Amino acid sequence: MDINGHASALALQLNSLDLATHEEDSHGKKTMPAMAATHSHVGMNSNRIRPTEDIFNPEDPHIREDIIRMVMQYLADEGYNASQMTIQDEANVKWHEREENTNETRRLKKAILDGEWAEVDKICSKPLFKNQKSFLFAVYKQQYLEYIEHREMQKRLKPLEQHQKTPIEFKDLCYLLTTKSIHDAPSFKNWEGIAQGRDKLVEQFQSMLEVENSVKDGSVYVPPNRLLNLLRQAVAYQIECSRYHPKISPIVETLLQDFSPFVIPNATRTIMQGHRGNVKCAEFVGSEGRSIISGSSDNTLRVWDTESGNCLHILEGHSSRIWDVSSNEAGTTVASASGDSTVKIWDIKGSKASCRATLGGHAGDVYTVKYHPTSNHVVSGGYDKIVRLHDLNTGQVVKTFSGHQLAVSKVILNPIGNLIISGSKDNTIKFWDLVSGVCIRTITSHLGEVTSVAMNSNGTLLLSSSKDNSNRLWDVRMTRPLRKLKGHQNTSKNFIRAGFAHNSLLVGGSEDGLVYIWDQESGDILQKLHGHEAMVYNAVWSPKQSMFVSSSDDRTVRTWYYDGKKRN
């Protein structure tokens, strides 16, 4: 089906959906709530096979050649003939070497079966075989046993001695010089004769080498559109494993990010209770988000199962409230910023979580912490106005960034990790070069304390929250404001934070106890989530889980999802 035909089919399917999905704006464009309504919640499949590294070995030469062949096929199909020929020329050098090795193995097999031991010795002296000591011992042993069988008493014990596997077997080989039959030696009482010995040697050789089946490019059949078909299968797998299934076939617009269904959460999924104080912060752990970490004024952190809401770990060790949390990409460790002037690193990958390290250096409360994209460092900031970069391997502060006039309320890094962005109670946002430590840019537009900063996935947009009762969206490259988001409340002595969701939504907490969702393009409020009984400090989106998590002054953590049965 061509593109126009596919679009027509999708339009017909859309017409069969609920009337709520037919909402359009004044230009006839489908609205965001209508787009979100084209999905139904099915939950996460806990039994799905995860795409882990052990599915195939990327170092396997056959896998590597398969990838090269698929890339070459795609380039040829798309008309990139020069690029395809360049790859083919480079690959042919390796394939030529591999084919030479294949020819050598064929010659060696024939020489062994024919008993041409001079030829065998010549081939075995080449680089492909000379380091295969176990195989060489088997070759020399077969030769020696044949000489004994024919009563040709040639002394070939020297190479056997060099490659011997066990002293007992070598002793029996020496003993054969004085016996009447090979079977007189204990190690060879089951000797089956020359022909069977040669066959077994060839079998051992064939199992040892992995290069016999290497062939020239062109003789291997590559199914049409193989790379595109694999990519479609990968996307289909991501859709199938998603929490929401689309009611119509989605059109994926990028392969640089995993598929994430567009939904606007409208209902509470789970309520996580257990903290004895207000919950200042919560976020999904790692890129997968299968668990949630929260920090509270009860001085503890809790790890929760995302799907069930069960508490998995209680992390104790801080002597004051937890202001902020962060996790590494793999989801194996989390960092916590506390009012006790420390940052703690926690190992949560085992059955029993534990504190791995305590990072010092700050004077006063540490309000914020964030992992570097490489997970080898964390950045922190707090009451002492200084941003610090900590090396997790040594536990030392390797760089400090000074310039704020009041406490640092939030620190983040851009996606590639060469830029630190900090928000402060001095009403400013600063951009720091990670290598030089120099402040390269300062935004001074807010009229109140900056309570949070967040960056979108490609590092082009910045979202800031302030006690001037606004969230503001910025173009990072031009350092210019794009729009101001209002409707929520952020004026008192709290860190109310906001962030990005999908590539088109913004979400944040509010002192009125609601979670607010804005349209990034227009700045309009799309949704107000009711449920918390007190102010909401933050709301964080997980692309993998397609849900929000929020933390509140009511001592609870909530996850939010899209319930197609609920009418807003």
Side-chain angles (χ1 to χ4, degrees):
M1 182 182 294
D2 60 17
I3 294 176
N4 292 331
H6 184 64
S8 299
L10 289 179
L12 289 173
Q13 292 181 63
L14 277 173
N15 289 335
S16 65
L17 295 178
D18 188 271
L19 291 175
T21 67
H22 294 166
E23 298 171 6
E24 297 179 347
D25 60 19
S26 58
H27 302 287
K29 183 180 178 181
K30 200 168 179 57
T31 63
M32 283 190 173
M35 292 167 61
T38 62
H39 295 82
S40 58
H41 183 266
V42 295
M44 299 296 283
N45 181 7
S46 60
N47 296 321
R48 74 184 189 272
I49 298 175
R50 302 189 185 281
T52 53
E53 294 181 358
D54 56 357
I55 288 181
F56 64 81
N57 178 14
E59 301 300 322
D60 185 319
H62 300 300
I63 295 294
R64 286 183 169 182
E65 289 182 6
D66 288 346
I67 294 172
I68 291 172
R69 288 187 175 100
M70 288 189 293
V71 170
M72 288 170 55
Q73 182 194 60
Y74 178 78
L75 292 174
D77 290 345
E78 295 298 313
Y80 296 101
N81 297 317
S83 299
Q84 189 258 356
M85 291 301 296
T86 300
I87 296 176
Q88 186 171 19
D89 289 343
E90 292 180 2
N92 275 339
V93 174
K94 294 184 178 180
W95 289 336
H96 179 68
E97 294 175 355
R98 296 283 295 278
E99 182 165 347
E100 285 186 347
N101 291 341
T102 301
N103 291 333
E104 293 292 345
T105 63
R106 290 171 181 161
R107 288 175 53 206
L108 182 55
K109 281 184 182 181
K110 185 177 185 304
I112 291 173
L113 292 174
D114 293 344
E116 298 176 1
W117 296 113
E119 179 70 9
V120 170
D121 289 345
K122 180 180 177 182
I123 298 174
C124 286
S125 64
K126 296 190 175 182
L128 180 63
F129 309 104
K130 67 180 182 180
N131 293 323
Q132 303 289 343
K133 292 186 177 181
S134 177
F135 174 68
L136 290 176
F137 178 80
V139 169
Y140 295 133
K141 182 175 71 174
Q142 178 67 24
Q143 293 182 46
Y144 181 77
L145 292 176
E146 290 190 20
Y147 289 138
I148 296 296
E149 183 81 1
H150 295 305
R151 311 309 297 171
E152 298 176 8
M153 311 304 269
Q154 298 186 29
K155 303 226 178 191
R156 292 183 58 83
L157 288 171
K158 190 66 176 174
L160 283 167
E161 184 179 14
Q162 293 175 349
H163 300 92
Q164 63 176 301
K165 293 192 294 183
T166 62
I168 294 177
E169 187 175 27
F170 181 71
K171 181 180 178 182
D172 282 350
L173 288 169
C174 297
Y175 175 63
L176 288 176
L177 294 172
T178 64
T179 64
K180 294 181 179 180
S181 170
I182 291 177
H183 300 94
D184 292 341
S187 298
F188 307 104
K189 63 182 179 180
N190 295 321
W191 164 254
E192 296 177 342
I194 292 175
Q196 290 84 350
R198 291 177 183 177
D199 289 340
K200 286 186 176 181
L201 182 59
V202 169
E203 288 178 9
Q204 178 183 348
F205 174 61
Q206 191 161 357
S207 64
M208 176 194 74
L209 294 173
E210 300 178 351
V211 295
E212 274 91 332
N213 296 325
S214 295
V215 291
K216 287 184 178 179
D217 180 56
S219 61
V220 173
Y221 174 70
V222 181
N225 302 314
R226 182 59 181 159
L227 181 59
L228 290 176
N229 286 336
L230 278 180
L231 292 173
R232 290 189 184 102
Q233 291 170 20
V235 173
Y237 169 83
Q238 293 172 8
I239 295 172
E240 182 66 24
C241 293
S242 171
R243 179 177 297 278
Y244 308 89
H245 283 186
K247 297 176 182 178
I248 61 173
S249 298
I251 298 177
V252 174
E253 297 179 347
T254 178
L255 296 176
L256 300 182
Q257 297 175 352
D258 287 350
F259 172 81
S260 180
F262 180 80
V263 294
I264 302 176
N266 61 357
T268 297
R269 172 69 174 164
T270 54
I271 302 174
M272 287 157 268
Q273 297 174 309
H275 280 298
R276 300 183 304 276
N278 58 33
V279 186
K280 297 289 187 185
C281 50
E283 74 166 43
F284 291 93
V285 175
S287 59
E288 291 292 323
R290 292 194 293 271
S291 58
I292 292 167
I293 182 73
S294 60
S296 169
S297 292
D298 64 9
N299 305 349
T300 71
L301 297 100
R302 287 178 179 249
V303 182
W304 314 84
D305 180 77
T306 299
E307 192 64 18
S308 67
N310 294 333
C311 182
L312 304 176
H313 305 290
I314 300 176
L315 309 180
E316 298 177 310
H318 281 296
S319 58
S320 185
R321 70 188 61 190
I322 315 299
W323 287 105
D324 197 14
V325 288
S326 180
S327 66
N328 66 345
E329 180 76 10
T332 55
T333 62
V334 296
S336 54
S338 171
D340 62 11
S341 305
T342 69
V343 170
K344 287 185 181 290
I345 307 298
W346 307 85
D347 187 340
I348 62 169
K349 65 182 178 182
S351 58
K352 186 176 182 180
S354 61
C355 181
R356 175 185 291 183
T358 299
L359 309 177
H362 281 284
D365 286 39
V366 185
Y367 292 132
T368 177
V369 65
K370 187 69 176 179
Y371 268 89
H372 188 273
T374 63
S375 298
N376 294 322
H377 298 79
V378 294
V379 181
S380 62
Y383 179 79
D384 59 10
K385 314 171 192 176
I386 299 173
V387 176
R388 288 175 168 83
L389 179 66
H390 306 261
D391 186 329
L392 294 181
N393 293 320
T394 64
Q396 301 299 310
V397 175
V398 292
K399 192 162 300 225
T400 58
F401 307 81
S402 302
H404 280 297
Q405 301 304 307
L406 291 173
V408 177
S409 55
K410 186 65 177 177
V411 291
I412 59 170
L413 294 108
N414 67 335
I416 62 175
N418 64 348
L419 199 65
I420 297 174
I421 303 98
S422 59
S424 170
K425 289 187 175 184
D426 64 10
N427 302 0
T428 69
I429 301 167
K430 289 184 179 291
F431 295 74
W432 310 86
D433 178 72
L434 187 70
V435 177
S436 67
V438 174
C439 177
I440 60 175
R441 193 177 302 166
T442 301
I443 296 176
T444 59
S445 300
H446 276 296
L447 302 177
E449 298 177 8
V450 177
T451 57
S452 80
V453 286
M455 186 167 276
N456 68 344
S457 59
N458 59 16
T460 58
L461 298 175
L462 181 77
L463 179 65
S464 60
S465 302
S466 170
K467 290 183 181 178
D468 61 13
N469 216 31
S470 73
N471 295 330
R472 302 192 187 198
L473 189 65
W474 307 84
D475 182 322
V476 172
R477 289 166 292 192
M478 305 298 293
T479 322
R480 64 183 180 88
L482 297 176
R483 59 194 50 85
K484 185 185 294 186
L485 311 167
K486 303 200 66 134
H488 66 300
Q489 296 177 19
N490 183 10
T491 58
S492 63
K493 296 180 179 180
N494 296 288
F495 290 145
I496 304 297
R497 291 166 173 165
F500 291 87
H502 294 292
N503 292 316
S504 52
L505 301 179
L506 306 171
V507 60
S510 175
E511 291 168 0
D512 60 10
L514 304 179
V515 175
Y516 282 76
I517 303 173
W518 293 270
D519 179 354
Q520 179 178 296
E521 186 64 29
S522 66
D524 296 336
I525 297 174
L526 297 177
Q527 190 77 267
K528 298 178 185 179
L529 302 180
H530 298 257
H532 282 294
E533 298 176 358
M535 74 176 67
V536 179
Y537 292 108
N538 75 337
V540 180
W541 171 255
S542 168
K544 286 284 188 180
Q545 298 295 324
S546 298
M547 292 198 301
F548 294 128
V549 62
S550 60
S551 60
S552 169
D553 206 51
D554 65 7
R555 304 186 178 185
T556 69
V557 175
R558 286 179 181 245
T559 56
W560 306 83
Y561 78 120
Y562 174 72
D563 182 358
K565 299 176 182 178
K566 181 178 179 179
R567 297 298 179 186
N568 299 320

